[in-house]
């Protein structure tokens, strides 16, 4: 009969033998892990966008690990440390301290400009490379930081390029659109975008006749839409987050405020299949200068299909940019050949990526901004979001001026 004491002695002996003969070889064969921090608003007012970013990074990391991890580091696998910043800057600050203490080699995230303003500040203090996924406010990369890298266009770059697109369209289509109303959220993102638009639009022969700020959390925008109506605008340009953008379109339809075009810059609802699902035909003809993928890239169809299979959600630029940010870090780790944060930072600074799913190459200037980044101009047509400008990426022609609300409902 085997007593408990004899059984334990047997197991211990077997374990010791295995440890002497086999386990060390197994342990040596195991690829080590590289800890990567990820801070996103997984709860709070920006939870939807933050969770999309989280899913995009998860998809990329799964692909990277499945393909053999970081080859320059013996196939080391990326391990995510995901922290919820609750859509609150003070909490976002605390996540950066936790990443520092845990030894994260770099940090990805955090979607919103207000959050990125503080996470990049902490990254600089702790000397942790921080690759931003969205966060467009110009000032984020204007503080001389060395550890901040933004692969997408800033607010100013997006506004300038969208104005160039609008100027090109008005010339090519001989549009007589002159009077512009800007309606924007009153935070960092909305104000900086509207400031740039107000300076640039006169250069293409357009006049800003009204500028209407609003709270991103406003429960009603009736008064703001009445101002648009009174201004007799040819074009309305919203720069705001999803709830307010959606509310603007619904309210304009309810009040039958017809204009030649609604063209948002980084519109929260402008290039969102969620919006089309929510409002149906009201979304048709809406134009948006925004982050988007290269529709002619050979891998984009497969990547979108993989995301939709994994998360049962349609395409959204939030996850695409987060997905791309993880691949930017992967490239830097390969070239750094080390997990030392300063070496990874130096490798990021030397990034030269082409043939990516975003419609531009990726490199970083001395401020950490990708100088070649740009938005594309999309329009919703019959329930589909299609690139309409510039011509090298266009999938169809734009419809401007847009039909009156009465003819669409």
């Amino acid at each position: 009969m085997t007593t408990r004491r004899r059984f334990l002695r047997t197991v211990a002996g077997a374990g010791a033998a295995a440890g002497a003969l086999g386990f060390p070889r197994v342990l040596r064969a195991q690829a080590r892990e590289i800890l990567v921090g990820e801070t996103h608003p997984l709860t709070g007012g920006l939870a939807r966008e933050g969770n999309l970013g989280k899913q995009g990074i998860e998809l990329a990391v799964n692909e990277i690990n499945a393909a053999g991890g970081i080859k320059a580091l013996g196939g080391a696998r990326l391990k995510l440390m995901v922290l919820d910043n609750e859509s609150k800057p003070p909490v976002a600050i605390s996540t950066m301290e936790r990443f520092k203490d845990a030894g994260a080699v770099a940090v990805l995230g955090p979607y919103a400009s207000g959050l990125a303003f503080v996470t990049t500040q902490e990254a600089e203090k702790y000397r942790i490379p921080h690759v931003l996924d969205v966060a467009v406010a110009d000032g984020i990369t204007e503080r001389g930081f060395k550890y901040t890298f933004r692969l997408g266009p800033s607010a100013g770059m997006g506004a300038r390029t969208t104005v160039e697109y609008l100027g090109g369209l008005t010339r090519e289509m001989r549009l007589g659109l002159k009077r512009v109303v800007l309606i924007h959220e009153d935070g960092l993102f909305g104000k900086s975008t509207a400031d740039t638009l107000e300076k640039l639009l006169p250069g293409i022969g357009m006049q800003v006749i009204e500028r209407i700020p609003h709270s991103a959390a406003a429960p009603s925008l009736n008064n703001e839409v009445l101002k648009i109506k009174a201004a007799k605008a040819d074009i309305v340009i919203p720069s705001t987050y999803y709830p307010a953008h959606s509310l603007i379109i619904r309210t304009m339809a309810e009040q039958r405020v017809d204009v030649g075009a609604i063209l948002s810059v980084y519109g929260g609802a402008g290039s969102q299949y969620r919006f089309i699902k929510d409002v149906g035909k009201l979304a048709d003809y809406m134009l948006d200068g925004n982050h988007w993928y290269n529709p002619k890239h050979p891998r984009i169809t497969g990547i979108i299909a993989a995301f939709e299979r994994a998360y049962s959600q349609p395409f959204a630029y939030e996850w695409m940019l987060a997905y791309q940010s993880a691949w930017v870090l992967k490239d830097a780790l390969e070239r750094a050949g080390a997990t030392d944060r300063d070496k990874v930072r130096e490798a990021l600074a030397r990034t030269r990526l082409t043939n990516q799913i975003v419609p531009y190459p990726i490199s970083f200037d001395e401020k950490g901004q990708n100088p070649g980044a740009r938005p594309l101009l999309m329009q919703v047509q019959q329930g589909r979001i299609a690139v309409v400008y510039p011509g090298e990426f266009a999938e169809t022609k734009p419809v401007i001026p847009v039909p009156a609300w009465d003819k669409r409902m």
Side-chain angles (χ1 to χ4, degrees), residues 244-385:
H245 196 173
S246 174
L247 193 55
I248 290 167
I249 303 302
R250 292 172 191 266
T251 309
M252 286 182 70
E254 288 169 4
Q255 297 186 14
R256 299 295 195 269
V257 179
D258 288 313
V259 295
I262 302 172
L263 187 155
S264 53
V265 177
Y266 293 132
S271 301
Q272 296 283 354
Y273 280 102
R274 170 194 182 192
F275 181 60
I276 297 171
K277 182 180 178 183
D278 285 351
V279 305
K281 291 185 177 180
L282 294 186
D284 267 347
Y285 308 111
M286 196 164 57
L287 291 147
D288 184 36
N290 215 325
H291 309 287
W292 206 247
Y293 58 85
N294 175 0
K296 299 181 180 179
H297 194 283
R299 289 194 298 116
I300 191 62
T301 301
I303 293 170
I304 292 174
F307 182 85
E308 291 178 348
R309 278 196 306 274
Y311 300 104
S312 302
Q313 297 209 55
F315 176 82
Y317 65 79
E318 292 92 342
W319 74 253
M320 178 200 72
L321 287 175
Y323 172 93
Q324 183 71 73
S325 72
W327 281 97
V328 169
L329 178 60
K330 190 265 186 190
D331 170 71
L333 286 166
E334 294 284 11
R335 287 183 291 103
T339 56
D340 176 84
R341 290 170 177 163
D342 282 326
K343 289 183 178 176
V344 175
R345 191 210 74 80
E346 290 168 11
L348 281 166
R350 296 193 303 273
T351 296
R352 299 287 185 275
L353 284 172
T354 57
N355 194 28
Q356 301 300 297
I357 61 171
V358 290
Y360 42 80
I362 299 174
S363 62
F364 299 107
D365 62 19
E366 70 282 359
K367 298 177 180 178
Q369 172 63 47
N370 178 8
R374 61 175 170 172
L376 298 182
L377 186 63
M378 282 69 68
Q379 186 174 43
V380 180
Q381 295 185 6
Q382 298 181 330
R384 177 175 177 268
I385 300 170

Side-chain angles (χ1 to χ4, degrees), residues 153-169 193 197 200-201 204 206 237 263-267 287-291 374-378 389:
S154 67
M157 294 167 73
R160 283 192 294 276
T161 308
T162 303
V163 169
E164 289 173 12
Y165 294 164
L166 182 57
L169 282 176
T193 304
L197 288 170
L200 296 176
L201 285 167
I204 60 168
M206 295 187 180
I237 303 184
L263 187 155
S264 53
V265 177
Y266 293 132
L287 291 147
D288 184 36
N290 215 325
H291 309 287
R374 61 175 170 172
L376 298 182
L377 186 63
M378 282 69 68
Y389 209 86

